[in-house]
Amino acid sequence: MRELRIRVLIGVFVVAGILSWAGARLWNSIGTLPGVPLAAPIVLALIAVVLLSTALSIRSRLKAQRERCPGAKGVDPLMAARAVVFGQASALVAALVAGMYGGTGVFLLELLDLPTRRDQAFYAGFSVLAGLAVIAAALFLERVCKLPEDDDQDHPGAEPAA
C-alpha cells in the first residue's frame, strides 16, 4: 500500500478552492449562492475524532504487544489495512471538501457586511479547519499503522554482506 502524499492533498485542496471560488462568483452573479451548512464542520470534526481514536487505539495495542504485556490484544493486519484505507480516503475527501469551503469562504469575505453571509463565512472557515484536522488524523493513523523498515539483507537473491 502506498503512502498518502501531502503534495496530492495540497493539489486537491488548491484546485478545489480555485474552482469553488470561481463557481461561487458565477453562481452569485446569476442568482443566489447556496448557504454553507452548519453541519459541515461538525461532520468533519466527527470524522477527525473517529480517525484519531482509531489511531490511538491501534497505537496502544501495538505498544502492549511489543512490550509483551499479559493479556495484550494484538492488531489484526487486515483491520489495520482497512483503517489505513479509511484514513486515506477520508483525507482525500477532506482535502476536496476543505478546498471547496475554503474557496467559498474566500468569496464570502467580500460580503461580510451581510449578517447571513458573515455566518456562512465562519462556517466555511470552521469547515476548512475541521478538514485539516481530518487530514492530520489520517496521516497520524497512517504513521501508526506503518510497518517498520526492514534493514536486514537476509532476503532471497540479496547480495551477501562482506
Side-chain angles (χ1 to χ4, degrees):
M1 187 178 314
R2 293 179 30 185
E3 284 187 37
L4 195 57
R5 299 198 187 273
I6 294 177
R7 290 186 306 227
V8 171
L9 296 174
I10 292 171
V12 168
F13 177 82
V14 168
V15 169
I18 291 171
L19 290 175
S20 178
W21 174 79
R25 287 184 60 90
L26 178 65
W27 199 327
N28 195 48
S29 69
I30 60 173
T32 56
L33 180 67
V36 177
L38 174 62
I42 295 170
V43 170
L44 287 170
L46 286 174
I47 293 170
V49 167
V50 168
L51 288 171
L52 184 63
S53 64
T54 301
L56 292 175
S57 172
I58 290 174
R59 185 175 77 165
S60 67
R61 289 169 72 184
L62 286 173
K63 182 181 177 189
Q65 191 177 12
R66 272 194 309 271
E67 294 175 355
R68 302 192 192 286
C69 294
K73 194 173 180 184
V75 176
D76 180 29
L78 188 58
M79 191 268 307
R82 287 178 181 157
V84 170
V85 169
F86 172 62
Q88 288 180 345
S90 297
L92 286 168
V93 170
L96 179 69
V97 169
M100 287 173 36
Y101 285 125
T104 303
V106 168
F107 171 74
L108 289 172
L109 289 176
E110 301 170 2
L111 306 171
L112 288 180
D113 53 337
L114 302 171
T116 56
R117 295 300 186 188
R118 186 176 332 126
D119 291 344
Q120 291 176 357
F122 284 128
Y123 298 157
F126 288 137
S127 296
V128 171
L129 292 177
L132 294 176
V134 169
I135 292 169
L139 291 175
F140 178 63
L141 175 62
E142 186 178 57
R143 182 181 174 104
V144 165
C145 293
K146 185 177 180 182
L147 292 174
E149 296 295 326
D150 191 14
D151 291 332
D152 357 22
Q153 299 289 335
D154 297 336
H155 302 294
E159 294 291 323

